[in-house]
Amino acid sequence: MDDDIDATGRRIAHILRERIITGEIDMGHRLGERDIAEELGVSRVPVREALHVLEAEGFVSSAHRRAAVVHRFTVDDARELFDMRMHLEPYAAALAAERAAAGADTAALRAALDVAHVASVASASASSRNSDLHDEIFALAGHTLLSRMSGLLTGRTRWLFRLTPERDTVGRWDEHAEMVEAIVGGHVSLAQTLAAAHVERARVESMPGLTERLPPVERPVRRRRARQVVADA
């Protein structure tokens, strides 16, 4: 039974995560357990588990005995995400190139590049396909802990990609193509350098627009009653 609940919770988390990333569920939207359970035809237990997963990933926030609310992506969130990407993605690219040089299969990575190219040209789901390409680089790196850490960033990176649709162009595919060529060729330093340049270029091009669109920080919920109790005491 626990395994069934876990599987259902993961499925619900995936559904809600995708809705948040694509904008189907707006930032700041209240996520009621009962409403979600009724819509998906499940009990509230796996819904609660799913919301715990999404809170750990930074997609929702909740206070004690309050409904979960979709996190409002902030400028600080974007800065922190780029900081982490700068640390992890060049390292992953270097490891992937090392493994390619040692004979690891690079077919999945090359296939992901081809799909990303089609998506960029067609302007359809480009952000998701680009994210899939980055996931393949982490997979090829073959580093278990790194993969787990990247898993926490993948969804938020896709969320960020959606907030900067102007960057989903053929030019981004060209950057990816250079990285993949370096990785497949086993050129470790070049792959690492290109990955770092790719992340930094994304930061430079994205942050001005994000600064205009997003709030600087998440505003805490005011608890007037709690302050009044303290004052009365």
Side-chain angles (χ1 to χ4, degrees):
M1 181 63 70
D2 289 342
D3 290 341
D4 292 339
I5 292 175
D6 289 344
T8 303
R10 289 194 296 271
R11 178 176 65 84
I12 296 169
H14 173 74
I15 292 172
L16 296 177
R17 186 187 301 110
E18 289 301 308
R19 291 180 180 180
I20 293 170
I21 290 173
T22 60
E24 183 179 346
I25 299 178
D26 293 330
M27 290 184 283
H29 182 78
R30 178 181 176 275
L31 297 172
E33 290 181 9
R34 180 179 300 174
D35 294 338
I36 296 171
E38 290 179 355
E39 178 192 351
L40 300 180
V42 298
S43 72
R44 296 177 65 172
V45 174
V47 173
R48 191 173 301 119
E49 293 299 322
L51 292 176
H52 287 327
V53 170
L54 294 177
E55 185 166 16
E57 294 177 354
F59 284 99
V60 304
S61 57
S62 63
H64 182 57
R65 294 184 179 179
R66 293 177 180 269
V69 175
V70 177
H71 177 70
R72 294 184 184 278
F73 209 104
T74 69
V75 174
D76 283 350
D77 290 332
R79 290 196 184 100
E80 290 182 359
L81 185 55
F82 278 120
D83 288 343
M84 292 305 298
R85 289 184 61 196
M86 181 59 77
H87 284 289
L88 298 183
E89 293 188 22
Y91 182 46
L95 291 179
E98 286 182 358
R99 294 194 68 227
D105 187 1
T106 60
L109 177 59
R110 288 183 277 113
L113 177 65
D114 291 339
V115 173
H117 187 205
V118 172
S120 296
V121 172
S123 297
S125 302
S127 62
S128 294
R129 302 292 76 77
N130 288 338
S131 181
D132 291 344
L133 175 64
H134 285 270
D135 288 345
E136 288 298 337
I137 294 175
F138 278 107
L140 182 57
H143 192 294
T144 302
L145 182 56
L146 180 62
S147 294
R148 290 180 179 177
M149 294 174 67
S150 70
L152 294 175
L153 297 180
T154 297
R156 290 175 74 84
T157 300
R158 288 183 57 210
W159 202 4
L160 181 67
F161 285 167
R162 183 183 67 80
L163 296 172
T164 54
E166 65 276 5
R167 296 199 73 252
D168 291 333
T169 65
V170 177
R172 301 293 77 74
W173 181 84
D174 291 337
E175 294 174 19
H176 288 148
E178 290 180 342
M179 281 194 298
V180 170
E181 182 179 357
I183 291 170
V184 172
H187 305 299
V188 177
S189 295
L190 179 59
Q192 185 173 19
T193 299
L194 290 173
H198 175 66
V199 174
E200 186 59 26
R201 184 178 290 113
R203 185 205 302 265
V204 170
E205 294 179 356
S206 299
M207 286 307 302
L210 291 171
T211 300
E212 295 178 357
R213 301 171 194 169
L214 300 176
V217 295
E218 179 76 68
R219 294 181 179 179
V221 177
R222 294 183 178 180
R223 300 180 180 178
R224 296 181 178 179
R225 294 182 62 184
R227 287 203 302 271
Q228 185 64 44
V229 170
V230 173
D232 291 344

